[in-house]
Amino acid sequence: MPARSYGQFCGLARALDTVGDRWSLLIVRELLLVPMRYSELVASLGGIATNLLADRLRSLESSGAIERRLGETGGVVYALTPWGAQLREAIEALVRWSTPVMVRGRDGDAFQPGWLAIALPALLSGRTAKPPAELGIEGPDFFMTLRIDEDGPHVSVQPDRRPATILNAEPEVVLGLAAGAISIDQALSVAAVQGDRRVLTTMFAGAQT
């Protein structure tokens, strides 16, 4: 039993015993994208104290949600175990649930492109396209590709090539489109598209309705 436990024989309570501490799910969010070094987690998470990060990593590792591995270029990286990776479903559900508190915009909050890469598949879950459609998304200091095919949405951060259609927009505009909070016409009043606008319709028309 964790040192701090609800002491309840309930799946939710025991899940929160494991990942309910402050920062724990945000660490999992980072590792959903790629295994990371300790220093990379410090940089990406921003305001976390290093001693608190070390404590959360130890806790997640002891529970079996994450593990240490040898990185491709040497050194230790932290990665999700198969059991830990199952938290994607819960995190994506929380992202969808967050729409009412996200529509107000950033309000000065920090932003990392990887967080958008987690949010888009969550918000567009269940959407498919045949033939596949690809959209480059470009904003201040980031570029990623959103692809929707028969298996659903996929996001690549810093892809090797640029699709034929590019949306130039702030992250809150992209999130608004994916959440169905704004229309394509509303988005394009503050954003720009290069290429075939019909790709936006494939990606976002009727999103989350």
Side-chain angles (χ1 to χ4, degrees):
M1 181 179 292
R4 295 176 60 185
S5 171
Y6 288 102
Q8 297 179 8
F9 185 58
C10 161
L12 176 60
R14 289 198 174 174
L16 291 174
D17 285 347
T18 304
V19 296
D21 284 330
R22 181 172 170 82
W23 294 102
S24 291
L25 278 179
L26 298 186
I27 293 170
V28 173
R29 176 198 64 192
E30 300 301 308
L31 298 180
L32 281 171
L33 291 168
V34 65
M36 300 178 73
R37 298 176 185 273
Y38 180 85
S39 59
E40 292 171 331
L41 284 166
V42 171
S44 187
L45 288 168
I48 191 170
T50 54
N51 63 327
L52 183 57
L53 175 58
D55 178 73
R56 295 295 183 262
L57 289 171
R58 281 194 298 268
S59 177
L60 289 168
E61 186 176 10
S62 66
S63 73
I66 69 172
E67 62 186 6
R68 282 178 282 185
R69 299 177 186 168
L70 182 64
E72 293 182 0
T73 58
V76 172
V77 296
Y78 292 90
L80 294 172
T81 64
W83 182 58
Q86 292 177 31
L87 284 164
R88 179 183 292 275
E89 183 179 354
I91 288 173
E92 289 188 347
L94 285 170
V95 168
R96 290 189 290 270
W97 182 77
S98 75
T99 298
V101 294
M102 290 294 288
V103 293
R104 66 173 183 247
R106 290 176 62 176
D107 290 338
D109 286 347
F111 167 75
Q112 295 282 351
W115 306 341
L116 185 58
I118 293 291
L120 287 176
L123 294 171
L124 297 171
S125 177
R127 178 158 295 219
T128 60
K130 185 179 181 181
E134 283 191 329
L135 176 68
I137 300 173
E138 189 164 30
D141 303 317
F142 75 90
F143 183 83
M144 62 185 62
T145 295
L146 171 63
R147 174 184 171 88
I148 297 183
D149 56 27
E150 292 177 297
D151 297 321
H154 318 272
V155 175
S156 300
V157 179
Q158 297 180 338
D160 295 332
R161 63 180 182 83
R162 295 171 69 91
T165 303
I166 309 291
L167 175 66
N168 293 275
E170 295 286 341
E172 49 264 49
V173 174
V174 181
L175 287 170
L177 276 170
I182 60 174
S183 68
I184 292 173
D185 287 338
Q186 288 172 323
L188 292 182
S189 69
V190 292
V193 63
Q194 304 166 17
D196 188 352
R197 176 174 165 168
R198 291 175 297 179
V199 174
L200 296 182
T201 301
T202 300
M203 297 290 182
F204 301 118
Q208 291 290 294
T209 58

